[in-house]
Amino acid sequence: MQEKWGHCYKNFFVGMRGQMKIAFWSNGGEKMCVTANMASIASMVSLRNAGRVKEILLENHFSRNKSLEDVLLQPMQQDFLRESGGYNVKYGLDYILKRIYCGDRDRELIKNSTVDLMLSNMCLLPSGMVFNKEVFNYDFSMVHRELFKILEEVSEYIFIDTESNQNLSTKQILFDADIVVVNLTQNPDNIRDFFENYTSIREKAIYIVGKYRPERKWTRKRISYEYNVPRNRIGIMPYTIELEYAIDAGRLQQYLCSNYMRATSRENEFFIRHCKKNAKLVENTAREIKKEMIRSIELQKIDDACKENR
């Protein structure tokens, strides 16, 4: 019995170092700012922890508008990666899925296939050169457990920018995720659609209302009241023109760093303040989940001990 639980606790506390799979998702398509919201909040988590928490960012979508690369890497950096000759063959999630499928389980696979970001504790795992989405989704469904296991060995927070449609990889990510950050707008149709049609996600969901404007009818307070969402489970992401310029230029992290200690305008201060709150919301939720995991395993240990003594 002692040997059994010693093994269980060893595996459990490896996961308790902070590993969390956090999926950012929306029911509203590509115009929901999911990618920008995730990149902003993940970067703010890094800044709040002074770079002590290792993070990996990845995505399973192939947006025509903005990918994580577009938001976090300047065009010159993207061009350099492609011109270096290795981008198409050794970088990216698609490449890693194929390597795992062939039996490669070494954590160096991740380290050699990611791109370091400006914040030194963060790295980006690009989608890679995906020529067939159906093949990508199939590959992902076949090796997702091994993928997440390797990612958890090299990072504490795994942020996943998840495609809005319910394809095979999206369904698997939402199922595997510890936290699902649901990105909403202040459009009542979008809000109603989620709460009426995606009840299975609510149990592990927290909410971000993007491009938030306080003067609009559907405020954070009203959404919380109408749909019985605890106020400590919903945050807002205000809109600023400087943020949009930074995203278009691939300078999101530079924008956050320059405004983190002292914002350059009232609008930037409002955005940074709530971005910090959203990062805290993610971290607090992760902390709650870990406490519940500890409690569950303790109760299971007591229950097994009682059965053994009968």
Side-chain angles (χ1 to χ4, degrees):
M1 180 71 179
Q2 186 175 3
E3 182 180 351
K4 171 189 172 183
W5 276 104
H7 175 72
C8 182
Y9 267 105
K10 180 180 178 182
N11 289 341
F12 176 71
F13 281 105
V14 166
M16 285 303 296
R17 289 193 306 245
Q19 287 90 336
M20 280 281 142
K21 299 181 289 294
I22 305 166
F24 278 65
W25 173 85
S26 172
N27 61 314
E30 291 189 356
K31 297 181 179 179
M32 303 295 288
C33 302
V34 177
T35 301
N37 288 348
M38 190 187 89
S40 298
I41 293 171
S43 298
M44 193 59 71
V45 168
S46 172
L47 289 168
R48 277 172 46 84
N49 288 279
R52 293 187 297 269
V53 178
K54 184 69 176 177
E55 301 178 22
I56 286 183
L57 281 65
L58 62 146
E59 59 195 349
N60 78 320
H61 68 87
F62 320 101
S63 173
R64 294 179 181 178
N65 296 324
K66 288 291 178 185
S67 67
L68 285 171
E69 293 173 65
D70 297 325
V71 171
L72 294 167
L73 299 176
Q74 297 177 58
M76 183 173 62
Q77 293 172 289
Q78 295 184 46
D79 292 342
F80 174 78
L81 286 172
R82 289 175 171 84
E83 291 170 4
S84 66
Y87 184 86
N88 292 349
V89 294
K90 77 166 189 173
Y91 284 110
L93 180 57
D94 188 53
Y95 166 76
I96 288 175
L97 294 177
K98 288 177 170 54
R99 293 302 309 153
I100 294 175
Y101 188 79
C102 293
D104 192 346
R105 303 288 193 273
D106 196 322
R107 67 172 61 184
E108 292 298 319
L109 175 66
I110 302 294
K111 294 180 181 180
N112 295 333
S113 303
T114 52
V115 180
D116 292 331
L117 298 174
M118 190 190 85
L119 297 174
S120 60
N121 66 312
M122 296 179 67
C123 59
L124 170 65
L125 177 53
S127 297
M129 297 299 291
V130 178
F131 297 103
N132 189 313
K133 292 183 181 181
E134 291 183 2
V135 172
F136 173 89
N137 281 301
Y138 175 79
D139 289 346
F140 189 95
S141 68
M142 293 295 291
V143 301
H144 65 95
R145 291 185 184 87
E146 293 83 356
L147 170 68
F148 286 132
K149 184 178 179 181
I150 298 172
L151 290 174
E152 287 172 346
E153 289 177 0
V154 297
S155 63
E156 288 144 302
Y157 284 131
I158 303 163
F159 289 95
I160 312 157
D161 179 9
T162 311
E163 191 168 19
S164 61
N165 66 30
Q166 292 288 293
N167 61 38
L168 196 58
S169 61
T170 289
K171 289 179 180 178
Q172 196 62 63
I173 290 167
L174 295 179
F175 180 82
D176 290 341
D178 300 296
I179 301 169
V180 177
V181 182
V182 177
N183 292 254
L184 300 171
T185 66
Q186 290 173 279
N187 182 318
D189 294 333
N190 163 249
I191 299 167
R192 187 184 310 110
D193 175 63
F194 173 78
F195 286 103
E196 289 182 357
N197 298 311
Y198 297 94
T199 55
S200 62
I201 297 175
R202 291 191 64 175
E203 184 178 347
K204 54 183 175 182
I206 58 178
Y207 305 89
I208 300 296
V209 186
K211 288 193 173 181
Y212 187 83
R213 295 188 181 276
E215 69 275 9
R216 289 182 177 172
K217 186 176 181 180
W218 281 87
T219 62
R220 170 179 175 264
K221 183 177 180 180
R222 181 173 180 181
I223 296 170
S224 177
Y225 175 78
E226 293 282 350
Y227 292 99
N228 196 29
V229 177
R231 292 286 292 274
N232 65 347
R233 305 281 289 187
I234 184 168
I236 65 171
M237 287 290 272
Y239 170 82
T240 74
I241 191 67
E242 283 189 48
L243 171 67
E244 186 166 315
Y245 288 155
I247 289 170
D248 287 341
R251 295 180 55 83
L252 173 64
Q253 291 192 332
Q254 289 86 339
Y255 165 82
L256 295 173
C257 289
S258 64
N259 286 279
Y260 183 77
M261 296 301 295
R262 185 175 180 178
T264 57
S265 70
R266 182 181 302 177
E267 292 77 13
N268 289 338
E269 188 279 329
F270 187 53
F271 173 83
I272 293 293
R273 174 156 41 97
H274 283 284
C275 194
K276 288 178 180 178
K277 287 182 178 181
N278 294 332
K280 186 177 180 181
L281 171 59
V282 168
E283 292 182 277
N284 286 346
T285 305
R287 198 172 295 117
E288 289 172 11
I289 291 171
K290 285 181 278 186
K291 286 181 180 178
E292 182 60 29
M293 290 168 66
I294 291 174
R295 191 176 74 87
S296 296
I297 201 169
E298 287 284 2
L299 290 174
Q300 184 64 51
K301 182 180 179 181
I302 294 169
D303 184 57
D304 285 0
C306 291
K307 289 178 181 178
E308 192 174 79
N309 292 328
R310 285 174 185 171

